[in-house]
């Protein structure tokens, strides 16, 4: 839903917008002084002139509205940035003028307190933000001994910003010092009517189990340009409320009465066999890590996607200690039980049993590793230790 209304006044009037944003309708009033013409040329002086005009406009109510919404709905930075994108799109549609759209995003993010910067690379406007996390697949720049991640590299998929270093645009914003985080610890409470049902089934011990999992198409939009974050951040992205309620209670019911080992085995085989496998290069044309909910949503998934889903399920249902075990071309999980199963992996003096959540040539039991991996080096890239342990 998108609606638009103009209001005139002696002072120039305002425009009102409303649009659905996850669990609610966002209402926005934009004073017409905020509408600034795009620079005719992409050069530092033109961008500085655009900033000066916008900074002198009645923009503050927009920023106040965004910050209040962020606080009310407890938006993590990445979701707050999605709100900024939507508002910038209302004021200056991306398809009409990409430079102007990007300038509004940068301006609102900066005025929200984040250390965001601009640069020019030929005919490209580069938008980046201070971030001190381990992000794998987007370019970054070091400025004043701080790392800045490029927020709009997806709009220039063939650009090599390291071969053609962008020219920084120097604009002094003393209050814009906050670092941006890609961690997502909460997903929105989407409107129930916007969920779709995906039917999932798999066989375990000669019995077929059926699931009707509720999934929201907004998940794909949220994560469309989400980068490859570190394993701790990636594994701990939660399920949305609707998806959680349609899956986790059913899984808990299905493992009720099983021993802990059999229950984990059930979750391992659910993750292994309830979904179609395809390598990311074939599926997306590049490496892309899917969160637990994205894996449920996707038609195909690979080993790191299933590792994330298995981790989430075991954490929610049994809350056991786990490690993520990375081989040169594969990642798997290992769980610490009261008593190790099979040949365990010893990490920091404790024994973890391999639980392979991805289909292999062999029918692997808990504690077994594929023959092709047995003699390969590995490293532990994430350790989860529940607070109670």
């Amino acid at each position: 839903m998108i609606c638009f209304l103009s209001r005139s006044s002696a002072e120039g009037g305002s425009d009102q917008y409303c649009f659905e944003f996850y669990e609610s309708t966002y209402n926005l009033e934009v004073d017409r002084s905020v509408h600034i013409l795009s620079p005719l040329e992409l050069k530092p002086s033109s961008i500085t002139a655009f900033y000066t005009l916008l900074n002198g406009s009645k923009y503050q109510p927009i920023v106040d509205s965004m910050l209040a919404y962020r606080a009310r709905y407890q938006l993590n930075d990445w979701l707050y940035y999605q709100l900024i994108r939507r508002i910038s799109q209302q004021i200056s549609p991306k398809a009409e003028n990409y430079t102007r759209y990007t300038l509004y995003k940068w301006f609102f993010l900066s005025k929200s307190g984040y250390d965001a910067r601009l640069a020019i690379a030929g005919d490209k406007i580069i938008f980046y933000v201070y971030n001190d996390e381990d992000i794998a697949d987007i370019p970054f720049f070091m400025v004043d001994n701080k790392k800045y991640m490029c927020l709009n590299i997806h709009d220039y998929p063939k650009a090599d910003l390291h071969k053609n270093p962008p020219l920084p645009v120097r604009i002094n914003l003393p209050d814009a010092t906050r670092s941006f985080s890609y961690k997502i610890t909460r997903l929105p409470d989407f409107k129930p009517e916007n969920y779709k049902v995906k039917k999932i089934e798999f066989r375990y011990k000669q019995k077929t189990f059926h699931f009707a999992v509720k999934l929201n198409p907004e998940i794909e939009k949220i994560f469309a340009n989400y980068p490859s974050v570190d394993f701790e951040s990636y594994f701990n992205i939660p399920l949305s409320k609707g998806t959680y309620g349609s899956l986790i209670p059913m899984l808990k019911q299905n493992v009720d009465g099983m021993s802990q080992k059999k229950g984990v085995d059930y979750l391992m085989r659910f993750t292994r066999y309830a979904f179609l496998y395809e390598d990311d290069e074939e599926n997306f044309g590049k490496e892309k890590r899917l969160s637990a909910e994205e894996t449920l949503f996707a038609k195909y998934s690979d080993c790191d996607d299933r590792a994330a889903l298995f981790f989430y399920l075991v954490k929610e249902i049994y809350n056991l200690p786990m490690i993520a075990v990375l081989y040169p071309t594969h990642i798997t999980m290992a769980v610490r039980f009261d008593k190790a199963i099979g040949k365990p992996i010893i990490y920091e003096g404790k024994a973890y049993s391999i639980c392979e959540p991805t289909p292999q040539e062999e029918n692997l039991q808990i504690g077994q590793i594929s023959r092709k991996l047995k003699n390969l080096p590995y490293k532990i890239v994430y350790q989860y230790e529940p607070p109670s342990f």
Side-chain angles (χ1 to χ4, degrees):
M1 177 191 71
I2 299 176
C3 55
F4 171 78
L5 175 66
S6 292
R7 290 180 176 176
S8 298
S9 72
E11 296 180 358
S14 62
D15 298 323
Q16 284 201 326
Y17 305 88
C18 64
F19 53 88
E20 284 191 7
F21 190 73
Y22 306 140
E23 63 249 67
S24 66
T25 299
Y26 193 95
N27 295 288
L28 176 69
E29 184 167 353
V30 178
D31 189 271
R32 288 183 183 166
S33 66
V34 172
H35 293 281
I36 309 298
L37 293 177
S38 180
L40 295 177
E41 295 182 81
L42 188 57
K43 58 183 183 180
S45 60
S46 299
I47 291 176
T48 301
F50 181 95
Y51 167 76
T52 301
L53 289 172
L54 187 53
N55 194 49
S57 73
K58 297 179 180 179
Y59 70 86
Q60 193 61 49
I62 301 173
V63 176
D64 291 343
S65 171
M66 293 190 300
L67 292 173
Y69 191 96
R70 181 181 70 181
R72 179 180 179 184
Y73 292 101
Q74 303 172 39
L75 299 182
N76 296 127
D77 290 350
W78 179 253
L79 295 179
Y80 183 62
Y81 176 57
Q82 305 316 303
L83 176 62
I84 288 176
R85 292 178 66 196
R86 288 294 299 274
I87 289 174
S88 300
Q89 175 70 13
Q90 301 300 312
I91 297 172
S92 178
K94 180 178 180 178
E96 292 182 8
N97 191 306
Y98 180 76
T99 295
R100 187 170 181 254
Y101 163 75
T102 304
L103 288 174
Y104 277 107
K105 288 196 301 177
W106 161 76
F107 183 84
F108 290 136
L109 191 62
S110 298
K111 291 299 181 179
S112 298
Y114 295 88
D115 185 358
R117 308 286 181 99
L118 292 170
I120 298 170
D123 60 349
K124 302 175 181 64
I125 183 167
I126 308 303
F127 173 32
Y128 47 107
V129 66
Y130 171 44
N131 170 271
D132 57 5
E133 297 166 341
D134 182 15
I135 310 297
D137 59 345
I138 52 177
F140 67 89
F141 308 94
M142 297 302 297
V143 181
D144 301 328
N145 294 318
K146 296 197 299 185
K147 185 177 68 172
Y148 291 79
M149 307 304 302
C150 183
L151 274 172
N152 67 333
I153 190 60
H154 57 275
D155 291 321
Y156 303 117
K158 297 182 180 180
D160 188 338
L161 300 181
H162 293 292
K163 286 186 178 180
N164 300 291
L167 173 68
V169 179
R170 302 289 185 181
I171 297 176
N172 185 30
L173 293 165
D175 295 328
T177 58
R178 180 173 177 168
S179 65
F180 183 91
S181 175
Y182 286 93
K183 292 181 184 293
I184 296 178
T185 58
R186 180 188 178 277
L187 288 174
D189 293 331
F190 302 110
K191 293 182 176 180
E193 62 269 24
N194 291 342
Y195 277 89
K196 309 293 183 183
V197 173
K198 179 180 180 179
K199 296 191 179 299
I200 297 173
E201 64 177 49
F202 90 112
R203 287 185 62 80
Y204 183 76
K205 305 290 187 183
Q206 289 75 54
K207 180 180 178 181
T208 301
F209 291 84
H210 300 271
F211 302 85
V213 182
K214 293 181 179 180
L215 298 166
N216 197 299
E218 286 292 327
I219 286 293
E220 287 190 306
K221 296 178 184 178
I222 287 174
F223 290 101
N225 302 312
Y226 190 69
S228 293
V229 296
D230 62 89
F231 284 100
E232 179 181 2
S233 300
Y234 159 56
F235 279 11
N236 286 285
I237 297 173
L239 298 182
S240 66
K241 186 176 180 180
T243 299
Y244 186 101
S246 67
L247 177 64
I248 301 302
M250 182 63 69
L251 287 172
K252 287 182 177 179
Q253 178 181 314
N254 291 347
V255 301
D256 186 41
M258 295 183 184
S259 67
Q260 190 179 79
K261 174 192 170 184
K262 286 186 178 179
V264 171
D265 182 69
Y266 176 94
L267 297 177
M268 177 182 75
R269 294 177 187 278
F270 169 79
T271 311
R272 188 189 296 176
Y273 296 125
F275 311 95
L276 298 175
Y277 178 87
E278 190 169 88
D279 184 79
D280 279 348
E281 287 294 333
E282 297 177 11
N283 197 9
F284 301 107
K286 63 176 184 178
E287 177 66 22
K288 182 175 174 63
R289 294 174 184 168
L290 302 182
S291 68
E293 189 153 345
E294 286 181 283
T295 302
L296 293 169
F297 202 102
K299 184 177 181 180
Y300 301 103
S301 53
D302 70 357
C303 59
D304 47 8
D305 311 327
R306 291 161 196 258
L309 177 59
F310 177 75
F311 168 83
Y312 186 86
L313 298 180
V314 173
K315 180 183 175 184
E316 281 299 311
I317 295 173
Y318 292 106
N319 202 26
L320 292 170
M322 287 176 278
I323 54 174
V325 187
L326 181 65
Y327 289 87
T329 59
H330 183 68
I331 188 169
T332 190
M333 298 300 299
V335 177
R336 195 169 89 229
F337 299 98
D338 290 338
K339 184 178 180 181
I341 303 165
K343 184 178 180 181
I345 289 179
I346 306 300
Y347 182 67
E348 294 186 348
K350 297 173 182 177
Y352 294 81
S353 302
I354 289 287
C355 295
E356 178 56 70
T358 304
Q360 302 294 313
E361 294 177 359
E362 312 100 309
N363 178 25
L364 299 174
Q365 309 296 315
I366 291 180
Q368 294 181 328
I369 188 70
S370 174
R371 287 189 296 271
K372 63 183 180 182
L373 298 175
K374 278 185 177 180
N375 298 317
L376 294 181
Y378 63 83
K379 60 180 178 179
I380 307 305
V381 291
Y382 176 53
Q383 177 187 25
Y384 172 69
E385 191 76 15
S388 58
F389 276 77

